[in-house]
Amino acid sequence: MIDDFKIQWFPGHMTKARRMMEEQVKLVDVVVEMLDARIPQSSTNPLLNQIIGSKPKVIALNKVDMADSAQTEIWMETFKAAGLPVVKVDCAKGRGVKELLAKVQEAAKPVLEKWFKKGVRNRSTRGMIVGIPNVGKSTLINRWVGKNKVNAENRPGVTRGQQWVTIAKGLELLDTPGVLWPKFDDPKVGFALAVTGAIKEDVFDRTLAAELLAEWLLQNSPELLNNGYGVDLGAGNTHTEALEAIARKRGWIRVGGLVDRERTEMMLLRDFRNGNLGRITIDRK
């Protein structure tokens, strides 16, 4: 069923954001790619390496508090094996942000040394933070700055244009809008982005997304549904049975005895996105 999941995506502002990034990357020394720890592979922009070229890159694995810790460690080792500096962060609580800052400054050292050899002294390190919508870029910058310097909300599409922000003495960072790529060849990626809130709900089938999420949980972590909603479900149940059981447990019954599926679907997606069901990693190694 997941093969039927399609995204009607790539509005005009995303095209503009990519062009903007291509122009601004020439001005920076190091790039921070922020990924969602629940979907490390699906939240990686395959166009990014084309855009940044040979610029040093640091991976910020955000929302680790919502991801399966064992899976997070496996992903950490995967990135390290690929030669990429990577730091676990929880921007909402400020965990790991100082370590990430140190990694960024370390990654930029070779560039600054080249400038030093050319006679340029006291040049600030210039970085750029990139990532898909709603991954936590603005929250990270606010943590670094210590105040609400940029907009940060739990919904995609808040950051509309680039902003230069002074993070610390000798370090400036360019905040950019979340950028998605023009084509989703793998419906599993579209599903992962949809259920985590990286994509606005008007570009995908919310019912199908909720059904696929219920199905994924039944197959991988049924105890999270059972503990979260007080039901008794397992891998042998269908997504329809799961959603109906949750609705009936909540007493969401419409006239005629039918359950309120729409309300249940919205709740399931919201609870997953907010971490209310527990620590879940969709992209598993």
Side-chain angles (χ1 to χ4, degrees), residues 23-82:
E23 295 171 359
Q24 297 295 343
V25 74
K26 301 171 186 177
L27 306 176
V28 304
D29 308 314
V30 60
V31 174
V32 178
E33 183 179 21
M34 178 167 280
L35 304 179
D36 187 327
R38 299 169 297 176
I39 53 169
Q41 185 170 354
S42 298
S43 58
T44 300
N45 190 333
L47 299 181
L48 183 59
N49 287 338
Q50 299 174 23
I51 295 173
I52 69 174
S54 60
K55 301 281 184 182
K57 184 172 74 169
V58 177
I59 300 294
L61 205 56
N62 191 30
K63 303 188 179 182
V64 292
D65 60 310
M66 303 169 71
D68 181 282
S69 56
Q71 284 293 314
T72 296
E73 291 305 319
I74 294 174
W75 278 106
M76 289 286 290
E77 292 304 315
T78 299
F79 288 122
K80 290 176 183 177

Side-chain angles (χ1 to χ4, degrees), residues 163-196:
Q163 305 178 68
W164 280 104
V165 182
T166 300
I167 299 301
K169 184 179 180 180
L171 177 61
E172 296 178 348
L173 198 67
L174 180 64
D175 185 28
T176 62
V179 177
L180 286 169
W181 45 102
K183 184 179 180 182
F184 295 93
D185 294 318
D186 188 348
K188 294 179 182 178
V189 173
F191 159 71
L193 294 169
V195 297
T196 52

Side-chain angles (χ1 to χ4, degrees), residues 250-269:
R250 289 295 174 102
W252 293 346
I253 312 298
R254 290 181 169 178
V255 176
L258 297 176
V259 301
D260 191 337
R261 273 287 299 264
E262 182 178 5
R263 187 177 180 183
T264 308
E265 291 162 3
M266 291 175 63
M267 178 186 68
L268 178 62
L269 289 170

Side-chain angles (χ1 to χ4, degrees), residues 5-267:
F5 194 83
K6 294 180 173 58
I7 303 294
Q8 305 300 321
W9 188 242
F10 213 60
H13 78 270
M14 285 293 174
T15 305
K16 181 180 178 181
R18 178 185 173 178
R19 290 173 181 166
M20 182 193 311
M21 187 184 298
E22 289 172 336
E23 295 171 359
Q24 297 295 343
V25 74
K26 301 171 186 177
L27 306 176
V28 304
D29 308 314
V30 60
V31 174
V32 178
E33 183 179 21
M34 178 167 280
L35 304 179
D36 187 327
R38 299 169 297 176
I39 53 169
Q41 185 170 354
S42 298
S43 58
T44 300
N45 190 333
L47 299 181
L48 183 59
N49 287 338
Q50 299 174 23
I51 295 173
I52 69 174
S54 60
K55 301 281 184 182
K57 184 172 74 169
V58 177
I59 300 294
L61 205 56
N62 191 30
K63 303 188 179 182
V64 292
D65 60 310
M66 303 169 71
D68 181 282
S69 56
Q71 284 293 314
T72 296
E73 291 305 319
I74 294 174
W75 278 106
M76 289 286 290
E77 292 304 315
T78 299
F79 288 122
K80 290 176 183 177
L84 290 169
V86 56
V87 180
K88 293 182 291 184
V89 293
D90 175 2
C91 293
K93 296 180 180 177
R95 295 172 182 166
V97 295
K98 290 183 178 179
E99 181 184 352
L100 177 61
L101 183 59
K103 286 283 187 183
V104 171
Q105 292 173 318
E106 181 181 345
K109 278 184 179 179
V111 179
L112 294 182
E113 288 174 358
K114 289 182 181 179
W115 281 106
F116 187 82
K117 290 178 180 179
K118 293 179 180 179
V120 179
R121 305 288 194 276
N122 300 320
R123 179 185 178 278
S124 294
T125 299
R126 297 170 182 171
M128 182 169 72
I129 184 166
V130 299
I132 61 173
N134 200 31
V135 77
K137 300 183 301 297
S138 296
T139 303
L140 170 64
I141 294 176
N142 288 335
R143 282 285 178 182
W144 273 343
V145 175
K147 55 186 176 181
N148 292 331
K149 191 75 174 181
V150 294
N151 294 330
E153 296 183 27
N154 188 27
R155 60 186 177 87
V158 172
T159 306
R160 293 297 182 183
Q162 76 270 33
Q163 305 178 68
W164 280 104
V165 182
T166 300
I167 299 301
K169 184 179 180 180
L171 177 61
E172 296 178 348
L173 198 67
L174 180 64
D175 185 28
T176 62
V179 177
L180 286 169
W181 45 102
K183 184 179 180 182
F184 295 93
D185 294 318
D186 188 348
K188 294 179 182 178
V189 173
F191 159 71
L193 294 169
V195 297
T196 52
I199 302 175
K200 295 179 180 179
E201 290 192 352
D202 57 356
V203 297
F204 65 88
D205 186 333
R206 186 176 62 196
T207 293
L208 181 56
E211 290 175 347
L212 288 171
L213 178 57
E215 188 175 272
W216 189 95
L217 289 167
L218 285 170
Q219 295 299 318
N220 294 279
S221 302
E223 72 280 0
L224 298 179
L225 286 175
N226 295 335
N227 296 336
Y229 300 115
V231 291
D232 185 14
L233 299 165
N237 292 106
T238 65
H239 60 76
T240 297
E241 292 170 340
L243 290 168
E244 288 189 356
I246 293 169
R248 293 187 183 282
K249 188 68 177 182
R250 289 295 174 102
W252 293 346
I253 312 298
R254 290 181 169 178
V255 176
L258 297 176
V259 301
D260 191 337
R261 273 287 299 264
E262 182 178 5
R263 187 177 180 183
T264 308
E265 291 162 3
M266 291 175 63
M267 178 186 68

